[in-house]
Amino acid sequence: MILSEKDGELFYELWLPLLDYCNQNYGGKKNARKMSAEKELDSQEVKAAADRIWEDVSIIDEYLKRHADMPDEHQEIISGWKRCVTDHFIIE
């Protein structure tokens, strides 16, 4: 799958705050700098937060409840991530 630049930007706009929420509430680094504000990300920190989300996708539901003011389209996108397929992939 190839995302347009606009779709790629939207993905990170939605994904990084979810990772921050996970870190702050589910055993990540509570005092860590927010990933959503960083210019460069530590791939191991990103993977650790993502792994926690994929282990318990109810984190997504909790995140959406706390951010109920988010546009419906964004909520639908994030909610759709609960149907993720986890495996080993190569991203270019």
Side-chain angles (χ1 to χ4, degrees):
M1 172 194 290
I2 298 175
L3 296 178
S4 69
E5 184 174 340
K6 180 180 174 184
D7 287 343
E9 289 172 359
L10 178 59
F11 169 77
Y12 286 110
E13 177 185 331
L14 301 177
W15 178 240
L16 295 176
L18 175 60
L19 294 179
D20 288 336
Y21 175 82
C22 182
N23 270 342
Q24 293 170 348
N25 295 284
Y26 293 93
K29 297 180 180 179
K30 293 187 185 290
N31 296 324
R33 292 179 289 178
K34 292 190 176 227
M35 289 187 217
S36 56
E38 292 296 313
K39 296 282 185 203
E40 294 182 21
L41 298 173
D42 179 329
S43 61
Q44 291 183 345
E45 286 183 29
V46 171
K47 183 177 182 333
D51 286 347
R52 280 192 297 281
I53 292 168
W54 303 140
E55 289 170 7
D56 182 6
V57 294
S58 69
I59 293 170
I60 293 173
D61 293 325
E62 292 175 23
Y63 175 79
L64 291 173
K65 283 180 188 174
R66 291 190 181 202
H67 296 87
D69 59 338
M70 183 183 303
D72 290 343
E73 178 185 357
H74 292 181
Q75 288 187 23
E76 288 175 23
I77 291 168
I78 295 169
S79 182
W81 293 342
K82 294 186 296 182
R83 299 184 305 271
C84 73
V85 176
T86 58
D87 204 340
H88 293 90
F89 299 96
I90 296 174
I91 299 175
E92 294 183 302

